[in-house]
Amino acid sequence: ATAQIGVTGLAVMGRNLARNLARNGFTVALHNRSPERTRSLVAEHGGEGTFVPSESMADFVASLERPRAVTVMVKAGAPTDAVIDELVPLLEEGDIVVDCGNAHFADTRRREEALRGHGLHFVGTGVSGGEEGALHGPSIMPGGSAESYRKLGPIFERIAAQVEGVPCCRHIGPDGAGHFVKMVHNGIEYADMQLIAEAYDLLRAGLSASPAEIAEIFREWNGGELESFLIEITADVLRHTDAATGRPFVDVVLDQAEQKGTGRWTVQSALDLGIPITGIAEATFARSLSGHADQRAAARRAFPDAGEKWQVDDRDTFVEDVRRALLASKIVAYAQGFDHIRAGSREYDWDIDLGGTATIWRGGCIIRARFLDRIREAYDTERDLPTLLVAPWFADRVGAGVPAWRRVVADAARAGVPTPAFSSSLAYFDALRAERLPAALIQGLRDNFGAHTYHRVDREGSFHTLWAGDRSEVEA
Ligand code: NDP
């Protein structure tokens, strides 16, 4: 047994992860259900490091040093269970199974419990950054036991992206914590992309600008507080011309956004935990709406001219307004995402360090951004921060952006340009800061039709009004 770590599942992600490990000096055991993938990896990249290929799972397991660390990089769902079932009888107490696929955290919790029963560690690990990240340095979010991290930490921290000498990998917490954080990361990615898309749409409608002109605006924004991978590639995509037609690429792409399901998982989990992640939810629903082509066509026919003409008086002021509104809405989306992680951490006893989580998203992953340093600072300064919105750096940006945010949302509403994420983020902000919410009326209605009772502002206890009787109040 000579290999320090093994990878089974050598499609694009597993292959690149294995190469990254080997390039960093680790001896990597290789296995794939169909041996051709193993053979081609060794044939094409064998010179990049030391690989120990096996064609059977038994030989693969036997080639690993103890405690064994087996990384599973297969299709999420039933295939992951199939591979685990094949592995378990071959492993020995203290060995570690690392699932780097996009598993749902509830599956990870179930698998962790089952493998713990066999004396094995199961480490559900979020990996972000796509195939490029897997090869050159992803952001890695391992869950599982602290003991397993003692073996895995030095390996994963070495192959992860590095930002200012700090690896984009840390132990997130027990059992499903890593996959949970990866799920919320993807949810935030949905919100980020929707906000960018709305900003583009606003600029296009308000300025009657071409995609190439808007690309230039995004390029400038990327030099400031909004600096991030997604803003950078937005400029790249908007600048691109379709070779076949000579038209802007963005104009020849069908406007129906697809999804693989992690946004939906995030929203479902937030509903269970009672955390209003409105930005992520709007972004997820916006993708669904875009795909309802028949409804869109019907509504377009019924209401062709429902918007007013949009007249932007001053170009630079408008562009700056959109930038500020984008930043404020983005802060709301991240504030909500971190609230969600905190709630999951409390519900499942994970003790997740929010500042630390922001640290490992600074590089390698799709939502990498300059801004994440500020999030780290905010939670490192005040662990129990009620909401990211009130941390000084964020409160300054949001406070200064409010007039612009209101102008943009109001102008868009008048012109009939849909801004679900911009406008719901503003509504969230206004609701959070409201002195009184109409929730009081909802409580009154619930008590009226269903005797659901209410609390009073001036006395302890639960109360009910005898609506159908003499309308006196009784203590419930
Ligand atoms: P795929 O999701 O396409 O899965 C293909 C791999 O799974 C192949 O190695 C295949 O083996 C194996 N496999 C499928 N079914 C079984 C089975 N029943 N038993 C054993 N092996 C099986 O590969 P990707 O590389 O795209 O993704 C791997 C994982 O990483 C997935 O969970 C995916 O969700 C996640 N992922 C993460 C990304 C990220 O950015 N973090 C990006 C893309 C994926 P065979 O060759 O024999 O068919």
Side-chain angles (χ1 to χ4, degrees):
T2 52
Q4 290 156 291
I5 185 161
V7 181
T8 179
L10 300 173
V12 56
M13 289 295 290
R15 179 184 179 97
N16 282 357
L17 201 72
R19 291 174 61 197
N20 186 354
L21 285 160
R23 288 171 170 195
N24 276 286
F26 299 105
T27 302
V28 188
L30 300 175
H31 175 265
N32 192 69
R33 179 180 59 178
S34 345
E36 300 78 47
R37 284 198 205 270
T38 315
R39 290 182 205 138
S40 84
L41 170 46
V42 174
E44 288 162 36
H45 304 287
E48 292 179 3
T50 313
F51 295 107
V52 185
S54 296
E55 303 213 341
S56 78
M57 193 66 104
D59 288 348
F60 169 67
V61 168
S63 72
L64 285 158
E65 288 174 4
R66 297 220 46 214
R68 301 183 181 90
V70 181
T71 308
V72 180
M73 206 34 153
V74 301
K75 224 178 247 316
T80 303
D81 282 315
V83 171
I84 292 171
D85 289 346
E86 199 182 343
L87 270 170
V88 166
L90 301 169
L91 297 174
E92 292 169 273
E93 193 163 337
D95 287 351
I96 305 165
V97 177
V98 187
D99 175 17
C100 286
N102 268 333
H104 191 285
F105 73 93
D107 285 335
T108 302
R109 284 166 61 76
R110 166 177 64 76
R111 290 169 182 147
E112 195 275 338
E113 196 185 344
L115 265 68
R116 196 161 5 105
H118 292 281
L120 302 172
H121 298 278
F122 184 78
V123 181
T125 299
V127 179
S128 176
E131 47 186 289
E132 282 299 298
L135 183 59
H136 299 292
S139 172
I140 309 180
M141 297 152 249
S145 64
E147 194 187 332
S148 63
Y149 196 76
R150 277 195 283 280
K151 159 117 187 177
L152 298 174
I155 303 177
F156 284 169
E157 290 179 16
R158 190 83 164 266
I159 65 159
Q162 312 284 324
V163 175
E164 291 154 1
V166 181
C168 294
C169 172
R170 63 182 284 140
H171 184 225
I172 302 289
D175 59 78
H179 275 140
F180 183 90
V181 162
K182 169 68 186 346
M183 174 189 78
V184 178
H185 162 285
N186 283 28
I188 292 175
E189 183 183 306
Y190 274 54
D192 240 340
M193 287 166 64
Q194 176 65 24
L195 290 168
I196 286 172
E198 289 178 20
Y200 149 77
D201 207 23
L202 286 163
L203 293 169
R204 195 142 185 200
L207 300 175
S208 306
S210 70
E213 287 164 336
I214 299 169
E216 196 47 34
I217 295 171
F218 274 92
R219 199 191 55 76
E220 275 169 35
W221 287 353
N222 201 39
E225 292 159 336
L226 282 168
E227 181 189 318
S228 61
F229 172 66
L230 282 170
I231 295 276
E232 180 191 325
I233 63 170
T234 299
D236 195 26
V237 171
L238 289 176
R239 203 183 295 123
H240 185 57
T241 304
D242 175 51
T245 59
R247 293 171 60 196
F249 166 78
V250 73
D251 287 346
V252 301
V253 176
L254 188 68
D255 59 345
Q256 298 182 18
E258 295 172 12
Q259 47 187 320
K260 284 192 179 166
T262 41
R264 184 178 69 237
W265 287 352
T266 314
V267 178
Q268 285 169 334
S269 157
L271 289 171
D272 290 341
L273 294 167
I275 303 300
I277 54 163
T278 54
I280 297 170
E282 288 294 354
T284 308
F285 284 130
R287 289 199 194 183
S288 308
L289 186 153
S290 74
H292 289 284
D294 293 348
Q295 287 185 327
R296 288 176 58 194
R300 201 161 51 236
R301 279 193 301 274
F303 310 104
D305 304 308
E308 293 172 16
K309 192 173 159 32
W310 197 344
Q311 188 72 49
V312 167
D313 300 327
D314 183 78
R315 182 188 184 279
D316 292 347
T317 308
F318 177 66
V319 171
E320 177 59 9
D321 274 3
V322 175
R323 189 193 69 84
R324 285 175 179 249
L326 173 58
L327 182 60
S329 306
K330 180 175 159 120
I331 291 171
V332 165
Y334 279 71
Q336 295 174 341
F338 277 83
D339 285 352
H340 187 189
I341 294 177
R342 175 154 51 196
S345 178
R346 285 189 183 141
E347 174 72 16
Y348 304 110
D349 270 331
W350 286 329
D351 196 24
I352 297 176
D353 182 322
L354 298 182
T357 301
T359 308
I360 64 168
W361 290 348
R362 294 184 308 162
C365 64
I366 306 299
I367 64 170
R368 60 185 182 263
R370 186 197 268 197
F371 173 90
L372 284 156
D373 253 336
R374 303 298 187 166
I375 298 182
R376 174 186 54 78
E377 262 168 36
Y379 284 111
D380 283 356
T381 309
E382 193 181 343
R383 213 181 136 84
D384 293 321
L385 195 61
T387 161
L388 193 60
L389 288 172
V390 302
W393 191 88
F394 297 95
D396 283 354
R397 278 10 176 230
V398 170
V402 167
W405 206 1
R406 295 198 192 291
R407 278 193 295 273
V408 167
V409 168
D411 287 351
R414 263 192 297 271
V417 176
T419 57
F422 270 54
S423 49
S424 88
S425 306
L426 179 58
Y428 174 88
F429 165 76
D430 279 325
L432 265 196
R433 52 172 283 283
E435 182 71 37
R436 290 272 300 160
L437 286 172
L441 175 58
I442 291 178
Q443 285 297 83
L445 297 174
R446 294 177 69 246
D447 190 60
N448 180 295
F449 69 69
H452 291 304
T453 76
Y454 50 88
H455 298 289
R456 297 182 54 98
V457 295
D458 52 1
R459 264 182 291 144
E460 290 286 308
S462 296
F463 301 92
H464 169 54
T465 290
L466 302 170
W467 297 99
D470 65 358
R471 303 204 158 209
S472 61
E473 184 176 76
V474 293
E475 196 144 357

Short mmCIF file of all heavy atoms in Angstrom, two decimals, residues 149-178:
data_model
loop_
_atom_site.label_atom_id
_atom_site.label_comp_id
_atom_site.label_asym_id
_atom_site.label_seq_id
_atom_site.Cartn_x
_atom_site.Cartn_y
_atom_site.Cartn_z
N TYR A 149 -10.56 15.14 9.62
CA TYR A 149 -9.92 16.33 9.05
C TYR A 149 -8.42 16.37 9.36
O TYR A 149 -7.65 16.98 8.63
CB TYR A 149 -10.61 17.62 9.52
CG TYR A 149 -10.23 18.81 8.65
CD1 TYR A 149 -10.78 18.96 7.38
CD2 TYR A 149 -9.27 19.73 9.07
CE1 TYR A 149 -10.40 20.01 6.56
CE2 TYR A 149 -8.89 20.79 8.25
CZ TYR A 149 -9.46 20.92 6.99
OH TYR A 149 -9.09 21.95 6.18
N ARG A 150 -8.02 15.69 10.44
CA ARG A 150 -6.58 15.66 10.74
C ARG A 150 -5.81 14.99 9.61
O ARG A 150 -4.69 15.38 9.29
CB ARG A 150 -6.32 14.98 12.09
CG ARG A 150 -6.50 15.95 13.25
CD ARG A 150 -5.89 15.40 14.54
NE ARG A 150 -6.74 14.37 15.14
CZ ARG A 150 -7.82 14.63 15.87
NH1 ARG A 150 -8.16 15.89 16.10
NH2 ARG A 150 -8.54 13.66 16.37
N LYS A 151 -6.41 14.01 8.99
CA LYS A 151 -5.75 13.36 7.84
C LYS A 151 -5.99 14.16 6.55
O LYS A 151 -5.08 14.39 5.75
CB LYS A 151 -6.27 11.92 7.67
CG LYS A 151 -6.05 11.33 6.28
CD LYS A 151 -5.15 10.13 6.25
CE LYS A 151 -4.84 9.71 4.81
NZ LYS A 151 -3.92 8.61 4.71
N LEU A 152 -7.25 14.59 6.36
CA LEU A 152 -7.60 15.22 5.08
C LEU A 152 -7.14 16.67 4.96
O LEU A 152 -6.81 17.14 3.88
CB LEU A 152 -9.13 15.19 4.89
CG LEU A 152 -9.78 13.82 4.81
CD1 LEU A 152 -11.30 13.96 4.78
CD2 LEU A 152 -9.28 13.07 3.57
N GLY A 153 -7.14 17.38 6.10
CA GLY A 153 -6.84 18.81 6.09
C GLY A 153 -5.56 19.15 5.34
O GLY A 153 -5.58 19.96 4.40
N PRO A 154 -4.44 18.54 5.72
CA PRO A 154 -3.19 18.90 5.05
C PRO A 154 -3.21 18.62 3.55
O PRO A 154 -2.57 19.33 2.78
CB PRO A 154 -2.15 18.01 5.75
CG PRO A 154 -2.77 17.63 7.06
CD PRO A 154 -4.26 17.61 6.83
N ILE A 155 -3.97 17.61 3.13
CA ILE A 155 -4.04 17.28 1.71
C ILE A 155 -4.92 18.30 0.98
O ILE A 155 -4.51 18.93 0.00
CB ILE A 155 -4.60 15.85 1.50
CG1 ILE A 155 -3.73 14.82 2.25
CG2 ILE A 155 -4.71 15.52 0.02
CD1 ILE A 155 -4.24 13.39 2.16
N PHE A 156 -6.13 18.50 1.50
CA PHE A 156 -7.08 19.40 0.83
C PHE A 156 -6.62 20.85 0.87
O PHE A 156 -6.83 21.61 -0.07
CB PHE A 156 -8.48 19.25 1.45
CG PHE A 156 -9.20 18.00 1.01
CD1 PHE A 156 -10.37 17.61 1.64
CD2 PHE A 156 -8.73 17.22 -0.03
CE1 PHE A 156 -11.06 16.45 1.25
CE2 PHE A 156 -9.40 16.07 -0.43
CZ PHE A 156 -10.56 15.69 0.21
N GLU A 157 -6.00 21.24 1.98
CA GLU A 157 -5.54 22.64 2.05
C GLU A 157 -4.42 22.90 1.03
O GLU A 157 -4.26 24.01 0.55
CB GLU A 157 -5.09 22.98 3.48
CG GLU A 157 -6.28 23.05 4.43
CD GLU A 157 -5.93 23.36 5.88
OE1 GLU A 157 -4.80 23.82 6.14
OE2 GLU A 157 -6.80 23.13 6.75
N ARG A 158 -3.69 21.87 0.72
CA ARG A 158 -2.61 21.99 -0.26
C ARG A 158 -3.16 22.14 -1.68
O ARG A 158 -2.64 22.93 -2.48
CB ARG A 158 -1.76 20.74 -0.12
CG ARG A 158 -0.51 20.71 -0.82
CD ARG A 158 0.71 21.33 -0.27
NE ARG A 158 1.77 20.74 -1.08
CZ ARG A 158 2.44 19.66 -0.71
NH1 ARG A 158 2.25 19.12 0.47
NH2 ARG A 158 3.34 19.15 -1.51
N ILE A 159 -4.22 21.41 -2.01
CA ILE A 159 -4.72 21.45 -3.40
C ILE A 159 -5.78 22.52 -3.63
O ILE A 159 -6.19 22.77 -4.76
CB ILE A 159 -5.29 20.08 -3.85
CG1 ILE A 159 -6.53 19.70 -3.05
CG2 ILE A 159 -4.23 18.99 -3.77
CD1 ILE A 159 -7.41 18.66 -3.74
N ALA A 160 -6.24 23.17 -2.55
CA ALA A 160 -7.28 24.20 -2.68
C ALA A 160 -6.69 25.48 -3.27
O ALA A 160 -5.47 25.65 -3.29
CB ALA A 160 -7.88 24.49 -1.31
N ALA A 161 -7.57 26.36 -3.73
CA ALA A 161 -7.13 27.70 -4.13
C ALA A 161 -6.50 28.37 -2.92
O ALA A 161 -6.84 28.07 -1.77
CB ALA A 161 -8.33 28.51 -4.62
N GLN A 162 -5.56 29.28 -3.17
CA GLN A 162 -4.91 30.01 -2.08
C GLN A 162 -5.16 31.50 -2.31
O GLN A 162 -4.98 31.99 -3.42
CB GLN A 162 -3.39 29.76 -2.08
CG GLN A 162 -2.98 28.29 -2.20
CD GLN A 162 -3.14 27.51 -0.89
OE1 GLN A 162 -2.91 28.04 0.19
NE2 GLN A 162 -3.56 26.24 -1.00
N VAL A 163 -5.56 32.20 -1.27
CA VAL A 163 -5.71 33.66 -1.38
C VAL A 163 -4.86 34.29 -0.28
O VAL A 163 -5.08 34.03 0.90
CB VAL A 163 -7.19 34.09 -1.24
CG1 VAL A 163 -7.31 35.61 -1.24
CG2 VAL A 163 -8.02 33.52 -2.38
N GLU A 164 -3.90 35.09 -0.68
CA GLU A 164 -2.96 35.72 0.25
C GLU A 164 -2.37 34.67 1.20
O GLU A 164 -2.28 34.89 2.42
CB GLU A 164 -3.65 36.84 1.05
CG GLU A 164 -4.00 38.03 0.18
CD GLU A 164 -5.18 38.83 0.72
OE1 GLU A 164 -5.71 38.48 1.79
OE2 GLU A 164 -5.56 39.80 0.05
N GLY A 165 -2.03 33.52 0.64
CA GLY A 165 -1.38 32.47 1.44
C GLY A 165 -2.33 31.67 2.31
O GLY A 165 -1.90 30.77 3.03
N VAL A 166 -3.64 31.99 2.26
CA VAL A 166 -4.61 31.25 3.07
C VAL A 166 -5.38 30.29 2.16
O VAL A 166 -5.95 30.71 1.15
CB VAL A 166 -5.61 32.21 3.76
CG1 VAL A 166 -6.60 31.43 4.63
CG2 VAL A 166 -4.86 33.25 4.59
N PRO A 167 -5.39 28.99 2.51
CA PRO A 167 -6.11 28.04 1.65
C PRO A 167 -7.61 28.22 1.73
O PRO A 167 -8.15 28.54 2.79
CB PRO A 167 -5.72 26.67 2.21
CG PRO A 167 -5.14 26.91 3.56
CD PRO A 167 -4.73 28.34 3.66
N CYS A 168 -8.27 28.00 0.57
CA CYS A 168 -9.73 28.09 0.52
C CYS A 168 -10.32 26.74 0.89
O CYS A 168 -11.02 26.09 0.10
CB CYS A 168 -10.18 28.54 -0.87
SG CYS A 168 -9.65 30.22 -1.20
N CYS A 169 -9.98 26.28 2.08
CA CYS A 169 -10.47 25.01 2.60
C CYS A 169 -10.37 25.07 4.10
O CYS A 169 -9.35 25.52 4.64
CB CYS A 169 -9.60 23.85 2.08
SG CYS A 169 -10.00 22.25 2.86
N ARG A 170 -11.45 24.68 4.77
CA ARG A 170 -11.38 24.49 6.22
C ARG A 170 -12.47 23.52 6.63
O ARG A 170 -13.45 23.34 5.91
CB ARG A 170 -11.49 25.82 6.97
CG ARG A 170 -12.82 26.53 6.75
CD ARG A 170 -12.85 27.86 7.48
NE ARG A 170 -13.06 27.66 8.91
CZ ARG A 170 -12.45 28.37 9.86
NH1 ARG A 170 -11.56 29.30 9.55
NH2 ARG A 170 -12.71 28.17 11.12
N HIS A 171 -12.28 22.93 7.81
CA HIS A 171 -13.29 21.99 8.30
C HIS A 171 -14.53 22.79 8.66
O HIS A 171 -14.48 23.68 9.49
CB HIS A 171 -12.74 21.25 9.52
CG HIS A 171 -13.69 20.21 10.02
ND1 HIS A 171 -13.99 20.04 11.35
CD2 HIS A 171 -14.42 19.28 9.36
CE1 HIS A 171 -14.86 19.06 11.48
NE2 HIS A 171 -15.13 18.57 10.30
N ILE A 172 -15.67 22.45 8.01
CA ILE A 172 -16.89 23.24 8.22
C ILE A 172 -17.60 22.82 9.49
O ILE A 172 -18.07 23.66 10.26
CB ILE A 172 -17.85 23.09 7.01
CG1 ILE A 172 -17.16 23.53 5.71
CG2 ILE A 172 -19.14 23.86 7.24
CD1 ILE A 172 -16.92 25.02 5.57
N GLY A 173 -17.69 21.51 9.73
CA GLY A 173 -18.41 21.01 10.89
C GLY A 173 -18.79 19.57 10.65
O GLY A 173 -18.49 19.01 9.60
N PRO A 174 -19.46 18.94 11.64
CA PRO A 174 -19.77 17.51 11.53
C PRO A 174 -20.73 17.14 10.40
O PRO A 174 -21.38 18.00 9.82
CB PRO A 174 -20.42 17.18 12.87
CG PRO A 174 -20.25 18.36 13.74
CD PRO A 174 -19.92 19.53 12.88
N ASP A 175 -20.86 15.91 10.17
CA ASP A 175 -21.73 15.23 9.17
C ASP A 175 -22.02 16.07 7.93
O ASP A 175 -21.14 16.31 7.13
CB ASP A 175 -22.98 14.62 9.83
CG ASP A 175 -23.87 15.64 10.55
OD1 ASP A 175 -24.61 16.33 9.86
OD2 ASP A 175 -23.83 15.70 11.80
N GLY A 176 -23.27 16.58 7.78
CA GLY A 176 -23.64 17.23 6.52
C GLY A 176 -23.25 18.70 6.40
O GLY A 176 -23.63 19.35 5.42
N ALA A 177 -22.48 19.24 7.35
CA ALA A 177 -22.21 20.68 7.36
C ALA A 177 -21.55 21.17 6.05
O ALA A 177 -21.88 22.24 5.53
CB ALA A 177 -21.34 21.05 8.55
N GLY A 178 -20.62 20.37 5.52
CA GLY A 178 -19.91 20.78 4.31
C GLY A 178 -20.83 20.87 3.11
O GLY A 178 -20.81 21.84 2.36
#
